[in-house]
Amino acid sequence: MTPIFSLRRKALLASAAVAATLGLPAIAAAQAADPASADPREARIEQLEAEVQSLASEVKDLKREQVEARQATTARTRVVADAGSAPAPASDAVATIAQGHPAIASDDGRFTANFHGILQFDAAAYDQASAGPIASDFRRSGPALGASASNVDLTHARDLKDGDDFRRARIGVDGRAFGDWDYKLIFDFAGSGVENTGQLYEGWVQYSGFRPLAIRIGAFAPSIGLDDQASTNSMPFLERSAVEDVARGLAAGDTRTAVALFGSGKHWLASAAVTGRVVGVLNTGTATAVPQTYGDQLGFVGRVAATPLWGDDWLVHVGLHGSYVARPADATGPGTSGVTPINAYVIALSNTPELRVDGTKLINTGNIDARHASSEGAEFAAQKGPFLLQSEYEYFDVARDDPGLASPHFDGWYVSGAWVLTGERRRYNTATAAFDGPPVNHPFDLAKGGWGAWELAVRYSDLDLNYRPGQAGTAPSSSTIRGGDETNFTAGLNWYPNSFVRFVLDYQHVRVDRLSPNAALYQTPTGAQIGQSYNAIGLRSQFAF
């Protein structure tokens, strides 16, 4: 091969490669390089050009497939992020962390698993008058009826616990199976003032194929109000209001076994549930476990709610809810005569003040013999941009089993307001007809100047568990219930550095008005004031996903 032909061949091959890369016909490029070429080896050169062009085409196809794969992955990630906890179908099983929530989804989206973890660490200090001798300091706690000397607390009410506790420590999973079946399994290892060794907090399965209706069975909290359905991860305060805690505990509340039928739309929600017992603490072997009964409670819970008025950045929420205990739990079973006594069926209403580092119950009706009991509640909320006003009222009625005693009734209410200082708006959750926390538009980042979301909140609540309490210094009548009247003012500051972390600082002023139900058991003068007033500061550090 002559040097001239070798150089000409190299030029042709180089121009063919460049032409293939640029998408130009290889032959045209070769002709441009040497239009006068008529060498007998031209056929071989053309063959080489064809091979180069084929390889270039294959490279282009591979690049196109790579771009399409990237685009499909990006689209799938965007859909998963928009869907939150319900990952979208993917070409294979895909693990994601959409909005910080770890999840796994099958290729068709019919199977999902979303993992959850919640850790809430509380610390508190109580500002009380110094404890005096029991003979002269009459601050007390304990049940009002059905009491014995062993279960009346003569000491803790005089010295509430400063310190800390893990309010919630939960881990679990929820998701979807076979497209129309939903499930959830959550365990909790924390408690009010003391940690537990493990408790089934939620465990249920749900069929959602009759959309917008769904049916659920297992252990969960049936819907009974705004405070009840607000997520504990994003409530404006450390705890729910005292009155709503009592309302949800009558026939609803956490770990309650139930069957519920419910449905919701963009501006409405309706739910109905049949409820049973409260699931007990697991593996404790201590008095904290829920005792076995001779017959579980039978209750009914219902709620309707709507947003009849709304705009781009505002809405008005109204709702009604209630519960009915058709059969209280049988605590004693048949007596020696084979007949279950009247006091076997009891209802008790009680509450720990709205800070749980100390778990002492300062108001408590004690056990009331009951045929049945009920609660009726009304709810209202108005939201405009970062401002939220919310209120609920509850009325409780207990029908006594003993015909010689009057049937008591109680009531309570709260009103609260919240203002997100950084301008975000609390999200209205149409699936629960309640308010979730605000989004964090500017997560805390010193380099980018983000400070997270900040929120101010105030609340006043009043829960009255007194029925015909009488006057101070007098003995109670046979129908009297001296459960106590608790008022609580709370002011809070919340900081959301990002969607995972939250800090809650609450100041509380608590006032309890309660006359001694039993002078002998409570070791007080007849009708002595056993309530008190105090202040408290509480701080929560929270990590949740």
Side-chain angles (χ1 to χ4, degrees):
M1 182 180 294
T2 65
I4 295 176
F5 181 79
S6 177
L7 289 173
R8 180 182 298 164
R9 183 174 181 275
K10 291 180 180 178
L12 288 171
L13 290 175
S15 63
V18 172
T21 303
L22 297 177
L24 299 174
I27 295 175
Q31 291 175 347
D34 188 4
S37 177
D39 194 276
R41 300 185 181 183
E42 187 68 32
R44 177 58 178 164
I45 294 174
E46 290 178 358
Q47 181 182 358
L48 291 173
E49 290 174 349
E51 290 176 0
V52 170
Q53 190 169 2
S54 177
L55 289 173
S57 178
E58 290 179 9
V59 169
K60 288 170 67 178
D61 290 341
L62 288 173
K63 287 183 177 180
R64 184 176 64 253
E65 291 175 3
Q66 186 179 26
V67 170
E68 290 174 352
R70 282 204 197 105
Q71 290 174 343
T73 301
T74 302
R76 182 171 63 247
T77 303
R78 187 180 298 114
V79 170
V80 169
D82 291 341
S85 61
S91 59
D92 277 315
V94 178
T96 64
I97 305 183
Q99 300 179 352
H101 298 276
I104 299 174
S106 66
D107 57 350
D108 58 3
R110 287 167 54 81
F111 297 87
T112 65
N114 312 300
F115 302 98
H116 300 277
I118 302 169
L119 186 66
Q120 295 178 344
F121 181 70
D122 290 359
Y126 295 84
D127 180 19
Q128 287 179 286
S130 300
I134 288 179
S136 58
D137 187 342
F138 301 132
R139 290 174 288 178
R140 302 284 191 270
S141 66
L145 295 179
S148 65
S150 63
N151 65 14
V152 172
D153 189 341
L154 303 179
T155 57
H156 282 91
R158 295 158 50 245
D159 188 15
L160 297 174
K161 170 196 170 185
D162 294 337
D164 58 62
D165 80 318
F166 284 99
R167 181 65 177 91
R168 294 177 178 90
R170 296 173 183 166
I171 189 167
V173 61
D174 68 23
R176 181 185 308 121
F178 298 97
D180 291 327
W181 296 87
D182 299 292
Y183 65 90
K184 192 169 190 177
L185 186 62
I186 302 288
F187 285 88
D188 192 359
F189 299 89
S192 179
V194 62
E195 288 70 52
N196 296 321
T197 57
Q199 180 179 12
L200 178 63
Y201 177 72
E202 279 191 75
W204 50 261
V205 63
Q206 171 181 308
Y207 183 69
S208 306
F210 302 121
R211 293 177 179 84
L213 299 179
I215 185 168
R216 179 183 298 178
I217 184 170
F220 57 93
S223 182
I224 189 170
L226 274 168
D227 242 9
D228 167 73
Q229 288 296 290
S231 170
T232 54
N233 293 343
S234 56
M235 294 187 305
F237 307 96
L238 290 173
E239 302 293 340
R240 295 181 176 91
S241 62
V243 59
E244 295 307 320
D245 242 3
V246 171
R248 69 197 305 266
L250 185 61
D254 298 334
T255 75
R256 180 76 67 176
T257 58
V259 178
L261 175 67
F262 56 92
S264 63
K266 188 175 181 180
H267 295 289
W268 65 274
L269 176 141
S271 66
V274 180
T275 67
R277 66 187 180 93
V278 172
V279 177
V281 176
L282 304 178
N283 302 322
T284 60
T286 70
T288 60
V290 177
Q292 178 176 311
T293 63
Y294 290 86
D296 290 339
Q297 176 178 291
L298 174 63
F300 301 90
V301 177
R303 182 186 181 213
V304 291
T307 53
L309 303 173
W310 72 90
D312 290 340
D313 68 340
W314 64 276
L315 62 83
V316 174
H317 167 105
V318 293
L320 297 172
H321 57 261
S323 62
Y324 179 73
V325 178
R327 183 189 66 212
D330 181 356
T332 66
T336 56
S337 63
V339 177
T340 300
I342 288 176
N343 60 4
Y345 302 100
V346 297
I347 292 292
L349 307 179
S350 63
N351 184 67
T352 300
E354 296 162 2
L355 177 61
R356 301 296 176 81
V357 170
D358 186 291
T360 304
K361 294 184 176 182
L362 298 180
I363 59 174
N364 193 335
T365 65
N367 290 337
I368 305 172
D369 63 281
R371 293 193 313 277
H372 51 78
S374 64
S375 71
E376 299 86 40
E379 52 196 74
F380 171 83
Q383 184 183 44
K384 170 65 176 176
F387 298 95
L388 173 63
L389 177 68
Q390 179 173 313
S391 181
E392 293 181 87
Y393 171 81
E394 300 288 345
Y395 179 87
F396 306 93
D397 184 77
V398 180
R400 269 187 157 141
D401 218 9
D402 189 336
L405 300 177
S407 294
H409 52 80
F410 316 97
D411 69 348
W413 57 277
Y414 77 90
V415 60
S416 66
W419 174 23
V420 184
L421 301 173
T422 45
E424 292 90 341
R425 180 186 180 191
R426 279 189 163 265
R427 292 167 290 199
Y428 185 78
N429 189 335
T430 57
T432 61
F435 293 91
D436 291 337
V440 182
N441 292 340
H442 304 286
F444 178 72
D445 188 331
L446 290 177
K448 297 180 179 179
W451 290 95
W454 291 79
E455 181 181 44
L456 285 176
V458 293
R459 179 175 66 196
Y460 184 86
S461 67
D462 186 350
L463 174 59
D464 188 355
L465 297 183
N466 287 320
Y467 176 69
R468 299 180 181 177
Q471 300 298 316
T474 64
S477 70
S478 57
S479 296
T480 290
I481 304 292
R482 288 178 171 175
D485 183 357
E486 176 188 313
T487 58
N488 194 320
F489 171 77
T490 304
L493 175 64
N494 303 316
W495 180 35
Y496 306 79
N498 50 57
S499 61
F500 270 39
V501 181
R502 184 170 77 122
F503 298 95
V504 183
L505 179 65
D506 277 5
Y507 161 79
Q508 297 182 356
H509 176 71
V510 181
R511 180 179 178 275
V512 176
D513 180 9
R514 187 182 182 192
L515 300 180
S516 176
N518 186 300
L521 290 176
Y522 283 75
Q523 300 181 25
T524 63
T526 299
Q529 176 61 246
I530 64 172
Q532 61 178 303
S533 295
Y534 66 87
N535 300 309
I537 293 287
L539 173 65
R540 171 169 297 165
S541 303
Q542 172 182 298
F543 178 85
F545 61 85

